[in-house]
Amino acid sequence: MKWNELLIRYGEMSLKGRNRNYFIRKLKKNIEAALSDLDSVQLIAERDRMFLYADDSNDMNSAIERLPSVFGIQSFSPVAKCEPNLTDIYKKALEVIGSDETEGKSFKVEIKRTDKKFPYVTSELQQMIGGHVLRNFPGLHVDVKKPTILLNVGIREDGAYLTSKVYAGAGGMPVGSNGKSLLMLSGGIDSPVAGYLMMKRGVAIDAIHFESPPFTSDLATRKVMDLAEKLSSFGSPVKLHIIPFTELQQMISKQIPDEELMTTTRRMMLRIADKVRVQANALGIVTGESLGQVASQTLESLTAINEVTSTPILRPLISADKLEIIALAEKIDTYSISVRPYEDCCTVFKPSNPKTRPRIEKVAYFESFIDFEPFIEEVVKARRVVDFPSQKDEKFTDLL
Ligand code: ATP
Ligand code: MG
């Protein structure tokens, strides 16, 4: 079946007016980036929908495979075009319907006739085309209320446009349309999922990772790089900032009693992340925290950790259960990377008995014996930055 164009329906574009054009431009750019190697593809954006054309049918098929991973698309439909006369419309209708399994399915024809000079009215056309389809596909039956197959026929002066398939898009908003944030990316299951969810809401992502060699291995860092690369396949190039955390972490564990160790470590990580955030031109910080999951994620802990900055901390998983997070991780294909058995810095330096209700005054008191600021500045300067340009990944065909 040769499709002539794809009709792309926009997802949520909650902001109105001039912002809408901005969203549409962003979406167009993101689609162009996802399809940049498909030479024959052309996009025309209108206020309410976008059209994609491709002369080469391989390009068209690749576009159909890739569009479901682009945020900001609600759904899309391949469209076949023919001359606006009954003979050609009949022929095309059979081709379009025949491109799907029909046995035992219900269907309905819907006509949109904008060419008022066309010699048949809508109700006549509906019956004639419907009758023709039924005669040729005896396995079909009509259901006007809830048809499985809805054949749309648009009759305009320049041609007839037929479509019967609706592919789900990824929903959300175009990546980059809601600014950029810095994702605290561990090698765990949660943080990549958190990054994905923020990208879905239009946020471009850079990432920061804390490594503590030789306590953490190269393979642990490799794992984080693979996660960053995977995230870049959702429409945003990702810059990964890798912080050499060993010395500072050792200093913290010497200075701070076991009970407050975890809280202070997290506070230092957040202070470092906040400095990198400024340099990365990011507005917020994203974490994979989920309420009550571990000692550092009680409301009391989050409050004590959060106290070091007024930057918005985005925690898209705060209300998610672990099993829900795992299901998402599997869906976006980060799970198999996350479960590789290499420990990150927090696991290595894990105190035996962390407080679930740390007291800020106590934490601040122990921290006050050392001026951490110069050490924080130092690791920010010493960081490595690895670039992951936006990837094209054809595997994500049914994400929602
Ligand atoms: P995850 O699966 O994302 O590692 P987790 O359930 O293991 O989460 P924690 O280890 O307590 O929880 O980490 C909470 C959050 O802190 C992580 O989701 C991540 O955003 C951040 N974080 C933890 N360790 C690191 C690290 N080494 N580098 C960067 N960020 C980290
Ligand atoms: Mg972790």
Side-chain angles (χ1 to χ4, degrees), residues 292-305:
Q293 198 188 74
V294 287
S296 61
Q297 298 174 24
T298 61
L299 269 181
E300 290 86 349
S301 281
L302 293 176
T303 307
I305 296 163

Side-chain angles (χ1 to χ4, degrees), residues 28 47 50 86 118 339 381:
K28 184 163 180 256
R47 222 190 122 62
M50 206 178 285
L86 211 49
F118 198 76
V339 295
K381 260 202 214 112

Side-chain angles (χ1 to χ4, degrees), residues 46-187:
E46 292 180 2
R47 222 190 122 62
D48 300 313
R49 54 203 177 158
M50 206 178 285
F51 292 97
L52 183 152
Y53 303 92
D55 286 338
D56 182 337
S57 56
N58 287 331
D59 284 359
M60 185 60 95
N61 290 336
S62 298
I64 291 173
E65 272 178 36
R66 291 183 201 174
L67 284 185
S69 68
V70 179
F71 291 126
I73 296 176
Q74 195 57 50
S75 65
F76 65 95
S77 295
V79 181
K81 186 184 176 189
C82 66
E83 290 301 314
N85 63 64
L86 211 49
T87 319
D88 284 347
I89 294 173
Y90 272 0
K91 212 171 125 211
K92 217 26 136 191
L94 298 189
E95 259 182 67
V96 168
I97 293 286
S99 71
D100 255 336
E101 174 59 47
T102 54
E103 200 49 45
K105 295 206 173 140
S106 62
F107 104 115
K108 175 189 175 179
V109 182
E110 222 167 56
I111 310 284
K112 277 204 196 87
R113 173 172 158 269
T114 44
D115 175 11
K116 296 299 172 202
K117 288 192 289 269
F118 198 76
Y120 303 93
V121 297
T122 303
S123 53
E124 282 175 317
L125 279 170
Q126 209 168 7
Q127 290 206 343
M128 288 157 64
I129 298 172
H132 183 69
V133 169
L134 281 178
R135 279 191 295 281
N136 285 277
F137 291 98
L140 281 174
H141 61 276
V142 174
D143 181 347
V144 292
K145 286 214 184 89
K146 238 183 144 196
T148 316
I149 301 173
L150 180 64
L151 175 66
N152 260 298
V153 184
I155 298 176
R156 298 185 229 152
E157 278 176 35
D158 68 322
Y161 295 81
L162 291 84
T163 167
S164 69
K165 274 196 244 288
V166 181
Y167 291 96
M173 295 176 175
V175 176
S177 65
N178 275 329
K180 193 208 279 182
S181 287
L182 183 68
L183 168 68
M184 296 182 68
L185 184 61
S186 68

Side-chain angles (χ1 to χ4, degrees), residues 326-342:
I326 289 174
L328 255 175
E330 276 172 341
K331 190 161 158 178
I332 66 172
D333 216 12
T334 53
Y335 185 76
S336 57
I337 305 173
S338 292
V339 295
R340 289 185 207 156
Y342 311 113

